[in-house]
Amino acid sequence: MQKTLSVGRGFVLILAWGVLAFATAHADVTPPHIADAWTRLRNNPKTYDQADQFCRGKRLDDACELPGNPLQGGGAGVCRSSVNARGEIERACVRTTRVEIDNGVPSGGFVASPALCKPYIDWVQRNDPAEPAPELPFDCKPPAQPLADRFCKGKAAGDACAVEMRVDGKAEQFPGACTSEWQSQRFYYRGSREALRQVMTCASPQAFERQFSPASWLDKLWQ
């Protein structure tokens, strides 16, 4: 079964006696200002408060282009609208180029928060061979071996690598560097939770940084 992963960098792993330290995600709650913005967008799909540099002056569903190769996030796209965390409607270029990567990363390896894993952590610290491990509805034990995709297997962070992928069905290869990153997976246990795992992947820095600017009076007129 395919799982959707969100990826982030810059987290810190503290591993001691099986402890993985990270913040526990809170239950999903939609703030009123965000709900109001989505209502505004549903009532008028053409409206927006700000646009990125790739969709500035363009209309909804107009074609756009993101710079860089597909590994860097580049490719053809269309202008779409969404709501940001401040409750502003953003029009941005969303890539439509189809990118498929078989990275060969093993499934699993996601570990729940220390708060949820306290029974397991306490069991590890007691180190009593006669006492069975506690049964929990989630994993608390990090993988025995570090996880890596097939492009960085046997390599260290910073080593050169190359990603093989299919771009709109065509086989392509792009250079990158082995990078340690965090992947998250949501699960439900007395509320919405998040588990994390650390994976070495072949990656390339995104080739652009989005820069948003407010909709002009002429843009507002077209809305």
Side-chain angles (χ1 to χ4, degrees):
M1 183 178 68
Q2 249 187 344
K3 297 175 180 174
T4 302
L5 304 178
S6 60
V7 175
R9 296 185 175 86
F11 291 86
V12 177
L13 179 68
I14 303 175
L15 187 57
W17 292 99
V19 180
L20 179 65
F22 58 87
T24 302
H26 297 286
D28 293 326
V29 177
T30 303
H33 68 289
I34 293 180
D36 291 344
W38 279 112
T39 299
R40 191 157 55 94
L41 183 57
R42 282 194 298 270
N43 291 340
N44 181 10
K46 294 182 179 180
T47 192
Y48 66 95
D49 302 315
Q50 57 182 16
D52 70 7
Q53 68 268 43
F54 311 113
C55 289
R56 201 166 292 145
K58 294 188 176 184
R59 301 186 186 186
L60 187 67
D61 294 328
D62 276 358
C64 54
E65 187 76 22
L66 294 170
N69 66 49
L71 184 60
Q72 297 171 312
V78 294
C79 294
R80 298 272 169 81
S81 297
S82 63
V83 176
N84 65 23
R86 296 184 298 276
E88 300 163 327
I89 298 175
E90 293 180 340
R91 180 158 297 172
C93 187
V94 177
R95 188 171 70 176
T96 54
T97 299
R98 193 173 74 256
V99 175
E100 301 168 272
I101 304 175
D102 179 14
N103 58 22
V105 177
S107 61
F110 292 93
V111 181
S113 70
L116 289 180
C117 289
K118 189 175 186 308
Y120 173 79
I121 294 168
D122 292 343
W123 172 80
V124 170
Q125 290 176 337
R126 285 193 295 271
N127 194 25
D128 183 354
E131 183 183 356
E135 293 186 9
L136 299 171
F138 40 80
D139 202 353
C140 289
K141 185 178 180 181
Q145 298 296 327
L147 297 176
D149 68 13
R150 64 189 180 94
F151 312 114
C152 286
K153 195 163 291 184
K155 295 186 177 183
D159 286 353
C161 55
V163 173
E164 300 165 6
M165 61 172 68
R166 300 193 73 83
V167 181
D168 287 334
K170 181 183 176 183
E172 300 274 5
Q173 188 178 84
F174 299 98
C178 293
T179 306
S180 183
E181 66 182 21
W182 288 97
Q183 298 177 344
S184 68
Q185 183 181 60
R186 300 196 72 83
F187 66 97
Y188 188 88
Y189 178 74
R190 300 175 184 172
S192 181
R193 311 280 185 173
E194 187 178 44
L196 298 179
R197 71 176 185 177
Q198 190 176 25
V199 183
M200 183 81 72
T201 63
C202 186
S204 183
Q206 189 165 278
F208 58 90
E209 183 178 345
R210 291 187 193 272
Q211 298 174 347
F212 287 90
S213 59
S216 67
W217 67 268
L218 186 58
D219 296 328
K220 290 289 186 182
L221 186 65
W222 284 110
Q223 298 177 24

